[in-house]
């Protein structure tokens, strides 16, 4: 995919034909070890530390029956529950990570059951008791098969009272970036329903994965809301593998492999742009004891290693932490 130039989030730019399309400035992301350094340079209001977790093993991951109605809003398997317990234990034995999650943190999860279960089972016992747990529609899985459909907010809130589902975004929300979204009265799965209406009940192939720009758009909106609507400087984000593969690789100049994305057969945009979500960076002050050309080489190698780490596929219940620098 070609490299792009970017306007500030929410701005639109047009071409000579008069067609407008949204273009977003990518957020710069850095290794977690540079949190304090970045805070000193840019200020606390612009830097957050994200702990991103892919959900633990779900029934659909084992059965591979993505269209089976038994896997609607798929739940964790017993092995998935064990993975969560293992992650909670690892957090408590990692003094740096445990120290981080014990102070000023918010847990944000996809609105789907397997992510909510992962967030609760992995973090509820290791974060302070007053830590907010928020469900966020923007971070749900790419919507393709019945395993990607979710239950209503009311049903989810009844089963998981520790999680606030009142802020779950609706598919029709179209306010400027950073605004707190409305919630539909019944909390139904509007994204799934909209795609089924548009494509028909007989459609049996990729839906959202065949128009991934839609995933990028909601990811950008969701990430912007973490800056404007979540005051905590550290955030746990529990989400999904295909969603992460999309936002970590979309628009990047050097894909990890040629077949990383399905063919975009439903992308009907007149102007197809591939604006990357993230710019992978490394703050050179981390290598202040090195000078000259050698320092530039070392910094670039460190940056490239960080990019490779960030862009590879997530395993079930894998956690990666990194810093994000938000726009002014």
């Amino acid at each position: 995919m070609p490299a792009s130039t970017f306007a500030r989030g929410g701005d639109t730019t047009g071409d000579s034909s008069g067609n407008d399309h949204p273009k977003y400035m990518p957020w710069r992301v850095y290794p977690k070890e540079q949190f304090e350094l970045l805070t000193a340079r840019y200020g606390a209001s612009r830097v957050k530390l994200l702990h991103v977790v892919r959900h633990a093993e779900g029934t659909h991951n084992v059965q591979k029956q993505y269209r089976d109605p038994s896997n609607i809003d798929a739940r964790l398997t017993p092995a998935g529950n064990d993975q969560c317990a293992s992650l909670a234990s690892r957090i408590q034995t990692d003094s740096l990570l445990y120290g981080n999650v014990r102070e000023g943190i918010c847990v944000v999860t996809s609105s789907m059951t397997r992510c909510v279960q992962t967030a609760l089972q992995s973090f509820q016992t290791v974060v302070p008791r007053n830590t907010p747990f928020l469900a966020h529609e923007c971070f749900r899985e790419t919507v393709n098969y019945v395993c990607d459909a979710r239950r209503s907010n009311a049903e989810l809130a009844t089963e998981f009272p520790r999680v606030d589902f009142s802020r779950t975004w609706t598919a029709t929300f179209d306010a400027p970036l950073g605004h707190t979204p409305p919630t539909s009265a019944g909390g139904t799965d509007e994204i799934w329903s909209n795609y089924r209406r548009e494509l028909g009940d007989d459609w049996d192939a990729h839906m959202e994965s065949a128009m991934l720009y839609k995933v990028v758009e909601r990811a950008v909106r969701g990430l912007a809301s973490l800056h404007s609507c979540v005051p905590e400087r550290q955030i746990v984000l529990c989400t999904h593998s295909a969603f992460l593969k999309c936002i970590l690789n979309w628009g990047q100049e050097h894909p990890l492999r040629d077949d990383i994305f399905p063919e975009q057969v439903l992308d009907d945009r007149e102007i197809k742009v591939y604006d990357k979500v993230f710019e992978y960076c490394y703050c050179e002050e981390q290598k202040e004891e090195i000078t000259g050309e050698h320092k530039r080489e070392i910094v670039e190698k460190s940056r490239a290693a960080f990019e490779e780490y960030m862009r590879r596929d997530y395993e079930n219940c894998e956690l990666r932490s990194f810093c994000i620098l938000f726009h002014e």
Side-chain angles (χ1 to χ4, degrees):
M1 295 177 184
S4 305
T5 55
F6 299 87
R8 291 201 177 274
D11 288 353
T12 59
T13 60
D15 64 4
S16 58
S17 67
N19 294 311
D20 289 337
H21 55 271
K23 297 181 74 66
Y24 303 99
M25 179 185 291
W27 287 288
R28 284 183 279 169
V29 291
Y30 297 80
K32 63 183 179 182
E33 295 82 7
Q34 300 191 324
F35 183 58
E36 297 300 333
L37 191 157
L38 292 166
T39 298
R41 175 190 280 191
Y42 296 105
S45 64
R46 293 187 58 195
V47 182
K48 288 184 187 285
L49 182 59
L50 299 188
H51 307 285
V52 177
V53 186
R54 179 194 173 189
H55 66 77
E57 181 186 86
T59 57
H60 65 306
N61 296 135
V62 176
Q63 300 168 4
K64 308 298 184 184
Q65 299 297 319
Y66 306 123
R67 300 170 176 84
D68 190 327
S70 68
N71 283 323
I72 291 177
D73 201 4
R75 294 176 174 274
L76 298 186
T77 64
N81 295 329
D82 291 342
Q83 289 172 341
C84 294
S86 177
L87 176 57
S89 177
R90 291 201 307 274
I91 291 170
Q92 293 179 77
T93 56
D94 183 327
S95 59
L96 178 60
L97 181 56
Y98 186 56
N100 285 336
V101 302
R102 289 297 299 172
E103 53 184 68
I105 198 163
C106 176
V107 179
V108 176
T109 175
S110 154
S111 51
M112 306 196 74
T113 293
R114 54 191 179 270
C115 273
V116 177
Q117 288 179 301
T118 301
L120 289 171
Q121 293 182 36
S122 301
F123 291 95
Q124 189 171 10
T125 60
V126 299
V127 297
R129 297 180 66 178
N130 62 346
T131 298
F133 281 71
L134 308 176
H136 204 314
E137 188 82 332
C138 283
F139 300 114
R140 67 182 291 169
E141 183 60 296
T142 53
V143 181
N144 296 298
Y145 308 116
V146 295
C147 63
D148 304 319
R150 67 168 176 81
R151 295 176 290 157
S152 70
N153 288 348
E155 187 175 354
L156 289 164
T158 298
E159 181 173 354
F160 305 112
R162 178 70 175 83
V163 179
D164 180 0
F165 288 89
S166 69
R167 306 187 194 187
T168 300
W169 290 31
T170 69
T172 56
F173 178 60
D174 196 28
L177 291 175
H179 286 222
T180 302
T183 303
S184 58
T188 56
D189 190 350
E190 294 186 15
I191 293 180
W192 171 267
S193 298
N194 286 347
Y195 281 132
R196 297 316 301 181
R197 279 194 297 269
E198 292 175 9
L199 297 172
D201 291 335
D202 294 333
W203 184 268
D204 194 38
H206 281 133
M207 296 193 300
E208 202 170 43
S209 284
M211 45 179 153
L212 283 170
Y213 76 93
K214 291 284 191 181
V215 178
V216 172
E217 287 177 355
R218 64 178 166 89
V220 167
R221 195 176 296 281
L223 288 164
S225 76
L226 297 185
H227 182 216
S228 60
C229 302
V230 178
E232 289 81 7
R233 295 196 61 217
Q234 295 196 57
I235 299 171
V236 171
L237 176 58
C238 189
T239 183
H240 305 260
S241 60
F243 174 87
L244 286 166
K245 180 184 293 186
C246 175
I247 68 170
L248 294 172
N249 291 283
W250 187 258
Q252 301 295 334
E253 293 185 51
H254 305 289
L256 299 181
R257 58 181 188 269
D258 292 338
D259 64 344
I260 195 165
F261 297 130
E263 188 175 356
Q264 298 299 286
V265 296
L266 297 178
D267 186 343
D268 59 354
R269 295 174 295 169
E270 291 185 20
I271 301 173
K272 293 178 172 58
V273 293
Y274 303 94
D275 295 347
K276 56 188 172 183
V277 179
F278 297 121
E279 191 78 55
Y280 300 107
C281 303
Y282 190 91
C283 199
E284 64 181 17
E285 282 91 335
Q286 195 79 24
K287 303 292 184 182
E288 60 183 6
E289 73 282 2
I290 306 172
T291 59
E293 187 65 28
H294 184 54
K295 177 175 183 176
R296 285 191 288 272
E297 292 177 3
I298 294 296
V299 168
E300 174 53 26
K301 285 182 180 179
S302 299
R303 188 212 63 77
F306 173 62
E307 177 177 353
E308 190 279 329
Y309 163 78
M310 288 288 290
R311 292 177 60 190
R312 68 177 186 238
D313 290 352
Y314 268 71
E315 300 295 332
N316 283 123
C317 216
E318 180 183 355
L319 180 149
R320 298 180 201 167
S321 301
F322 59 92
C323 305
I324 182 168
L325 176 64
F326 286 101
H327 311 312
E328 291 182 296

